[in-house]
């Protein structure tokens, strides 16, 4: 078998990456170890940037349909409708600088089903029970050895991307370094039937960790445990033991489902690219789920990499395009690891941490501080440093573009639309008024652009914006001066090559 790109892993990141590759004109093939999706209810949602990335491909409504039920469920489980930092639930949605940019609540298996359907609609081949066990790269391509029910096969491709999760085989086989910090705690959670729950203290901190429980659910953050096997499935006995360690109280769990064990191990691949092999998602970075950031991070890796890798394998990529993937995405994940480590430090048991938590909690009552935490956990502070931009460039440059409301004029008729109405095909979008010098400047790139003649309704005083396929703003201006056409041309050349 041969293809342009082998994507290892049909988790959410692998599925989105394969779809993005396909949209951008490459031929991907997804190889997945499992016979069917695991159904593990890990993530309960994604942040605003990942939601917008999926909305750009027309999947927003599918995600939003899950919101009402999960919103009520999450509020019940967390005891608060506010966001949290280190389980200090004080992040006030209505206080945030861009309160309309919200994430979506959806259980990970439901999101994976949406993405699998989306990939199938683009004819992306997904081979299940195909486990990658060896990888060799040479000057011409990559050969993966794959274990299948019919025996071992070799698959050949120009490039291979490991989207195979936190214990990535690709990362291990190809010798990517994975430095970081070992866990401070082990967390366990499950839906349960339980005897003795009435004897437990209320949810909250204990001398050895944290207990969370409500009708039919229980979870522990266990800082006193460093010994047990973290590879096998979580059992009733192990959860009971952890509840005892965290609270000093014996309960009997009679039924257990949706059981998960995880840690705050925080590690990141030293590089995301070795020649023809790349990493994305949990294969590239692992950290505690506090703040609900990992899946969103991985989906944005996929969005960032897809169009660049497609251009690379098609031989159309300008110099440095593929290397801009690690250059842009590595620092973003490093910042997430940093904030999850801070959260773990703030969750350590003991009176010193109690005192620090009180101070952080008080600080979060200050609006600007609250916004600082909100910006950090939502990812909305992400800004790529594009070297061609002048120091006084419009503040939207390098950020992910919100789903702008725009007025478009087609055949002399004005109508209101959204940016996401023009992004389904996965191309870059240039939005500018009909008489703008930007449209003339971009004439030589029209074959690679969706050109939208229109104006933004209410956002950022924009008169023109170039949005890359991954949503990053490559050029934005508030003026309509012909001088702005030069940075626009530079942006177009940087991302899409010379004009035709
Ligand atoms: C309890 C918990 C709660 C979380 N909550 C959130 C949240 O609210 N929001 C959020 O954004 N993130 C959250 N996360 C993080 C999120 O679940 C992960 O970041 C996400 O699963 C990463 O997706 P992925 O596709 O990179 O990897 P995975 O989902 O791990 O998928 C990897 C796939 O690769 C396959 N595979 C592995 N090895 C091979 C091989 N050799 N050959 C072929 N296939 C292989 C696996 O079978 C699997 O299907 C949470 C995590 C946990 C544990």
């Amino acid at each position: 078998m041969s293809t342009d790109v082998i994507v290892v892993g049909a988790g959410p990141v692998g599925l989105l990456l394969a779809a993005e590759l396909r949209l951008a004109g490459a031929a991907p093939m997804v190889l997945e170890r499992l016979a069917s999706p695991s159904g593990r209810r890990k993530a309960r949602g994604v942040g605003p940037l990942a939601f917008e990335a999926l909305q750009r491909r027309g999947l927003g409504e599918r995600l939003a349909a899950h919101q009402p039920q999960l919103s009520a469920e999450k509020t019940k489980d967390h005891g608060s409708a506010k966001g949290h930092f280190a389980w200090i639930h004080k992040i006030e949605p209505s206080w945030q600088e861009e309160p309309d940019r919200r994430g979506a609540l959806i259980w990970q298996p439901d999101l994976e089903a949406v993405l699998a359907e989306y990939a199938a609609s683009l004819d992306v081949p997904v081979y299940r029970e195909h486990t990658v066990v060896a990888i060799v790269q040479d000057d011409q391509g990559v050969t993966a050895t794959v274990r299948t029910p019919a025996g071992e096969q070799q698959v050949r491709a120009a490039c291979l991307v490991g989207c195979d999760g936190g214990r990535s085989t690709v990362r291990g086989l190809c010798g990517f370094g994975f430095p970081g910090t070992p866990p401070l705690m082990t967390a366990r959670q499950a839906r349960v039937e339980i005897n003795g729950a009435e004897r437990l203290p209320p949810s909250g901190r204990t001398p050895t960790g944290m207990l969370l429980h409500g009708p039919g659910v229980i979870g522990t953050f266990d800082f006193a445990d460093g010994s047990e096997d973290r590879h096998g499935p979580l059992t009733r006995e192990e959860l009971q033991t952890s509840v005892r360690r965290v609270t000093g109280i014996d309960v009997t769990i009679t039924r257990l489902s949706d059981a998960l064990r995880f840690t705050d191990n925080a590690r990141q691949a030293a590089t995301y690219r070795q020649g023809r092999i790349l990493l994305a998602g949990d294969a590239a970075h692992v950290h505690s789920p506090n703040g609900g950031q990992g899946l969103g991070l991985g989906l944005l890796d996929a969005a960032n990499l897809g169009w660049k890798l497609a251009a690379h394998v098609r031989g159309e990529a300008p110099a440095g395009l593929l290397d801009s993937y690690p250059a842009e995405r590595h620092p973003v994940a490093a910042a997430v690891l940093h904030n999850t480590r801070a959260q773990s430090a703030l969750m350590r048991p003991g009176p010193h941490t109690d005192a620090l938590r009180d101070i952080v909690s008080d600080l979060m009552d200050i609006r600007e501080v609250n916004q600082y935490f909100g910006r950090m956990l939502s990812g909305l502070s992400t800004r790529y440093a594009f070297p061609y931009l002048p120091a006084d460039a419009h503040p939207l440059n390098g950020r992910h573009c919100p789903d702008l409301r725009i007025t478009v004029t087609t055949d002399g008729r004005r109508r209101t639309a959204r940016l996401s109405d023009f992004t389904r095909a996965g191309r870059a979008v240039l939005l500018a008024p009909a008489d703008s010098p930007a449209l003339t400047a971009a004439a030589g790139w029209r074959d690679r652009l969706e050109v939208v003649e229109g104006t933004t309704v209410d956002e950022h005083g924009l008169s023109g914006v170039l949005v890359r396929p991954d949503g990053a703003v490559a050029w934005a201006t508030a003026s309509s001066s012909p001088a702005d056409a030069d940075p626009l041309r530079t942006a177009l050349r940087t991302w899409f090559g010379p004009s035709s």
Side-chain angles (χ1 to χ4, degrees):
M1 289 201 286
S2 73
T3 188
D4 286 341
V5 181
I6 299 168
V7 176
V8 185
V13 174
L15 289 169
L16 181 64
L17 174 65
E20 292 288 307
L21 284 161
R22 188 66 158 174
L23 273 185
M29 174 191 289
V30 183
L31 304 176
E32 166 58 49
R33 175 180 62 183
L34 300 176
S36 56
S38 77
R40 289 177 80 208
R41 280 184 156 194
K42 294 194 287 183
R44 182 157 33 187
V46 293
L49 297 184
F51 176 62
E52 288 169 2
L54 299 173
Q55 198 172 35
R56 280 193 292 277
R57 300 295 179 254
L59 303 174
E61 281 178 19
R62 300 276 313 267
L63 266 63
H66 294 257
Q67 189 76 16
Q69 191 193 334
L70 264 72
S71 178
E73 222 177 76
K74 187 175 177 194
T75 303
K76 199 172 84 181
D77 290 352
H78 282 220
S80 172
K82 295 183 184 173
H84 75 88
F85 185 78
W87 291 81
I88 303 171
H89 281 85
K90 280 206 170 176
I91 301 177
E92 178 59 70
S94 64
W95 276 11
Q96 301 309 308
E97 291 145 314
E98 298 178 279
D100 295 338
R101 298 182 80 175
R102 300 265 182 105
L105 292 174
I106 178 169
W107 280 114
Q108 187 163 330
D110 295 323
L111 176 62
E112 288 177 20
V114 170
L115 291 172
E117 224 175 87
Y118 177 55
S121 74
L122 296 169
D123 291 329
V124 170
V126 178
Y127 294 93
R128 292 195 163 272
E129 295 186 90
H130 278 56
T131 305
V132 171
V133 292
I135 299 168
V136 179
Q137 66 170 318
D138 54 50
D139 289 348
Q140 268 79 48
V142 185
T143 304
T145 305
V146 187
R147 192 172 297 144
T148 79
E152 279 197 356
Q153 293 180 15
Q154 311 250 292
V155 185
R156 184 86 180 146
C159 288
L160 177 147
V161 189
C163 301
D164 52 342
R167 293 180 180 151
S168 170
T169 307
V170 174
R171 194 181 64 225
L173 287 173
C174 300
F176 284 83
F178 201 46
T181 48
L184 293 181
M185 60 95 188
T186 301
R188 299 175 177 84
Q189 66 180 46
R191 306 231 162 240
V192 288
E193 285 175 17
I194 188 167
N195 294 333
E198 68 287 350
R199 294 197 300 275
L200 290 171
S203 290
R205 285 164 61 72
T206 74
T208 47
M210 189 181 282
L211 174 74
L212 300 164
H213 69 116
V217 287
I218 193 158
T220 55
F221 288 97
D222 191 340
F223 283 78
D225 157 41
S227 56
E228 286 163 54
D229 168 29
R230 294 201 180 101
H231 290 261
L234 175 61
T235 61
R236 286 187 295 130
E237 292 72 22
E238 182 185 332
L239 185 52
Q240 281 172 190
T241 306
S242 180
V243 171
R244 186 183 321 116
R245 214 166 22 231
V246 168
T247 65
I249 289 169
D250 281 320
V251 293
T252 308
I253 294 170
T254 53
R255 253 188 85 169
L256 173 119
S257 61
D258 291 335
L260 276 181
R261 181 200 306 104
F262 55 90
T263 74
D264 59 347
N265 188 30
R267 296 185 179 278
Q268 184 177 19
T271 172
Y272 288 4
R273 179 180 177 199
Q274 285 187 12
R276 296 172 177 278
I277 320 272
L278 297 109
L279 300 175
D282 276 15
H285 37 73
V286 296
H287 51 80
S288 95
N290 283 325
Q293 303 166 88
L295 175 53
L297 200 56
L299 292 173
L300 285 159
D301 289 348
N304 189 291
L305 177 59
W307 63 280
K308 295 175 181 175
L309 184 55
H312 179 82
V313 298
R314 286 162 59 96
E316 295 166 358
L321 183 69
L322 191 54
D323 282 328
S324 73
Y325 162 65
E328 290 173 358
R329 296 304 300 164
H330 196 280
V332 179
V336 170
L337 262 69
H338 193 67
N339 85 50
T340 58
R341 284 190 186 112
Q343 294 189 71
S344 289
L346 261 181
M347 291 173 68
R348 273 189 138 138
H352 296 82
T353 316
D354 288 343
L356 186 57
R357 287 176 72 85
D358 286 346
I359 291 170
V360 172
S361 172
D362 285 350
L363 287 171
M364 288 173 84
D365 292 334
I366 302 168
R367 200 181 183 101
E368 287 75 13
V369 176
N370 203 286
Q371 289 173 345
Y372 166 85
F373 284 106
R375 241 187 344 256
M376 180 168 64
L377 295 183
S378 65
L380 286 170
S381 54
T382 303
R383 186 171 189 196
Y384 303 140
F386 299 148
Y388 55 82
L389 292 171
D392 60 348
H394 189 282
L396 202 52
N397 277 292
R399 297 190 63 212
H400 287 84
C401 198
D403 192 17
L404 299 171
R405 279 202 304 157
I406 52 189
T407 305
V408 259
T409 309
T410 329
D411 300 329
R413 290 189 24 219
R414 284 158 62 88
R415 67 185 171 92
T416 306
R418 287 275 184 183
L419 179 68
S420 57
D421 296 334
F422 301 95
T423 51
R424 287 192 184 194
R427 282 148 62 93
V429 174
L430 176 64
L431 168 72
D435 55 356
S436 164
L439 297 186
T440 320
W445 286 270
R446 279 205 171 222
D447 55 336
R448 282 152 279 175
L449 291 178
E450 194 71 42
V451 175
V452 181
E453 293 182 8
T455 50
T456 58
V457 173
D458 49 5
E459 319 255 2
H460 304 283
L462 277 178
S463 69
V465 61
L466 173 66
V467 182
R468 297 191 321 195
D470 58 317
V473 174
W475 168 84
T477 183
S479 88
S480 50
S481 152
D484 285 328
D486 282 340
L488 170 60
R489 269 189 286 265
T490 309
L492 288 163
R493 260 195 307 274
T494 303
W495 304 117
F496 310 114
S499 63
S500 49

